[in-house]
Amino acid sequence: MTESKGSMPDWEKRFRAPRVSLPDWAEDAPHRSLFVSNATGTYELYAWDRVTGEQRQVTDRANGTTDGVLSPDGEWIWWFDDKDGDEFGIWRRQRFDGSHTSEGSDTSDGSDTSDEPAAPGLEPSYPSGLAIGRDGRTAVVGRSTDEDGSTIHVVRTGEDPVEIYRHRESAGVGDLSHDGSLIVVEHTEHGDAMHSALRVLRPDGSAVTELDDTKGGTVELGLEVLGFAPVDGDTRLLIGHQRRGRWEPMVWDVATGEETDLALDLPGDVGAEWYPDGSALLVAHSFEARSDLWRYDLMSRELLPVSTPAGSVSGATARPDGSVEYLWSSAAEPSVVRSTTGEVVLDPPGMKSPGSVPVEDVWVEGPGGRVHALVQKPAGVSGPLPTVFDIHGGPTWHDSDSFAAGPAAWVDHGYAVVRVNYRGSTGYGREWTDALKHRVGLIELEDIAAVREWAVTSGLADPDRLILTGGSWGGYLTLLGLGTQPDAWTLGIAAVPVADYVTAYHDEMEALKAMDRTLLGGTPEEVPERFEASSPLTYVDAVKAPVYISAGVNDPRCPIRQVENYVDRLTTRDAVHEVYRYDAGHGSLVVDERIKQVRLELDFAKRHLGG
């Protein structure tokens, strides 16, 4: 790619172009909405009055803010106040119109604000769900700390918080019923952090009922909360289940115990949410890296498509007038918030993001079954090409036909990009996701190796110019791959990775400890051989490729100490490596910082692979 002197390249424009999230809206004041935007160069929360058209920036913090909830009455905006991305803090709130609330106080980042603590009496913690009542004075707050495990509290304005739930294992707030009489909790008291059970409580903490999908006495199937019916006195709860080997919606009446199996005739994973009057469901359907929308009428049991372009819908909501707003994109076209009315719901002013190239689907036979990969390459260029294997995080996530500025930047610079939905990824059925047990990391790399072999033998990829890269779990797989497959990769670029699994376990947030115990079958003390086999640090002396690592010094998910342990070992053996540390958590919400990191990665690749 050539750039004229002084001009902004397309790859940078994609990061700088203003973008918005799907707006949330207040149930009892649907003209009031809350969304996230990077309009100022940092991702922050914005309030939007649809009647007046006014948009107002709600938060303004050095490292950005994306966790916010609009109260059902539209009067309050709750937002989570942590310190520099460490995800540990308290909920604050301000009025929707920005008017003064109470005496100003200091936020955790040192700035002065009139935003009051939303749950006085609760100490800082990691957040674990939030549901706000329609009465404007009640909320259910989930918390997680290393000391207390998971706790859930009912918070009422002017009263002390009341604890209604406590357990060492992971748990969180699912939802609060429309009339505020019922609370549903997702919990993993059985010790399997990948498969939740559900418990319904009254606001005083007394139990109403429980749903726990077990098989042969062992929890193997998960449940998730999709939401209570939006009608007073209605005890129907929409949930997701895995009883047929994939995620599907079901209606559970928590008062009578009746379960209504919808059995929708759609392949792949299916989710849903209520239409505002409770008569129908907005169905979100995901299959083979694409997604679309449907309307399911609960009375007639009729399933009808909601028209959306081909690509990926990353969020959708049904409005009171029956229209549907959704956030859509494809690999070739940037994201946009559309409506089934034909309108663009939010079109931020300023620079527009350039598009990119479409993805091609590739299916490769792997050791555990067919592996789905998405390939992008520069238009009109034949291989073999320098190729980037960009590995997704999670691991319970999947790459899709959606717009991503990072892969597009590599394509702009002449690289092919391959993204692999390895075993452990979502979207391909429960067995594919749950295959990731005990041989953690090694299983995913077997699938990546199979796709690598296809990329080379098909003529797409130059075997002497192969980059393994990824962030979070993708960064972990990068470092593990460089050590266990040292002759397969020319270069490694790992962002916010797990590098020393044992130290990471001891330093990470409590919810991730629970996930690691599930994946590996115990703690480092209980199954030391599994942690050793799955830790990049075990294989660091075998690494041959130059390594670039970026890490947030406040990261609670992949903490900095375990990264430093890995870097120290590279340094001891004079291995070629570079490290970039930045003052944030698990990634950055500041556009300039994101651009800086991509530029450093591109430069590292250029210096070690050639132009």
Side-chain angles (χ1 to χ4, degrees), residues 118-121 137-138 154-162:
R137 62 181 300 270
T138 304
V154 173
V155 177
R156 293 186 175 91
T157 303
E159 301 179 15
D160 291 334
V162 177

Side-chain angles (χ1 to χ4, degrees), residues 48-355:
W48 174 30
D49 188 316
R50 297 182 185 228
V51 173
T52 66
E54 179 186 2
Q55 296 179 7
R56 178 183 67 83
Q57 185 175 340
V58 173
T59 53
D60 184 9
R61 303 193 304 153
N63 280 294
T65 315
T66 58
D67 290 340
V69 178
L70 182 59
S71 64
D73 61 6
E75 291 296 321
W76 293 97
I77 296 169
W78 288 50
W79 60 273
F80 194 74
D81 180 20
D82 66 348
K83 183 177 181 181
D84 296 329
D86 67 0
E87 302 181 42
F88 193 85
I90 66 170
W91 287 99
R92 294 186 179 272
R93 70 174 191 169
Q94 66 170 263
R95 292 193 179 278
F96 182 86
D97 61 8
S99 60
H100 189 72
T101 55
S102 62
E103 292 186 10
S105 58
D106 290 336
T107 63
S108 62
D109 64 2
S111 60
D112 184 67
T113 181
S114 61
D115 293 2
E116 63 190 24
L122 292 183
E123 295 296 318
S125 67
Y126 297 109
S128 189
L130 171 68
I132 304 175
R134 293 174 63 233
D135 61 4
R137 62 181 300 270
T138 304
V140 186
V141 181
R143 304 171 63 254
S144 173
T145 66
D146 291 344
E147 296 78 17
D148 297 332
S150 301
T151 60
I152 295 176
H153 303 257
V154 173
V155 177
R156 293 186 175 91
T157 303
E159 301 179 15
D160 291 334
V162 177
E163 182 181 300
I164 63 168
Y165 180 90
R166 174 183 290 262
H167 201 276
R168 283 303 312 170
E169 297 291 347
S170 296
V173 178
D175 198 15
L176 176 65
S177 65
H178 198 255
D179 60 8
S181 65
L182 298 170
I183 299 162
V184 60
V185 174
E186 291 185 0
H187 73 81
T188 60
E189 294 175 7
H190 42 70
D192 183 346
M194 293 183 68
H195 302 103
S196 294
L198 306 181
R199 180 172 301 150
V200 180
L201 306 173
R202 299 180 183 90
D204 63 4
S206 60
V208 176
T209 188
E210 177 111 4
L211 191 61
D212 187 348
D213 274 9
T214 62
K215 186 176 181 181
T218 301
V219 175
E220 295 179 354
L221 305 176
L223 297 168
E224 63 176 350
V225 174
L226 301 177
F228 276 108
V231 179
D232 270 346
D234 196 329
T235 54
R236 292 176 301 166
L237 177 64
L238 185 63
I239 65 173
H241 69 89
Q242 296 179 303
R243 294 174 182 177
R244 282 185 289 267
R246 62 187 182 121
W247 283 110
E248 299 178 74
M250 177 178 75
V251 177
W252 175 38
D253 190 319
V254 301
T256 67
E258 180 184 5
E259 298 177 7
T260 303
D261 185 0
L262 305 182
L264 302 179
D265 187 20
L266 296 170
D269 285 343
V270 183
E273 67 170 52
W274 297 94
Y275 270 78
D277 63 1
S279 67
L281 302 178
L282 177 60
V283 174
H285 167 234
S286 174
F287 182 59
E288 295 184 352
R290 275 87 180 173
S291 52
D292 49 30
L293 301 174
W294 300 74
R295 185 185 189 277
Y296 180 77
D297 188 285
L298 289 163
M299 183 66 70
S300 68
R301 300 181 73 88
E302 185 178 31
L303 181 68
L304 296 174
V306 175
S307 180
T308 60
S312 293
V313 176
S314 54
T317 182
R319 295 279 293 166
D321 64 0
S323 65
V324 174
E325 296 177 352
Y326 58 96
L327 182 63
W328 174 91
S329 72
S330 70
E333 298 184 60
S335 62
V336 59
V337 182
R338 298 177 181 269
S339 169
T340 52
T341 64
E343 300 176 343
V344 173
V345 178
L346 275 178
D347 186 15
M351 179 191 308
K352 301 303 180 185
S353 172

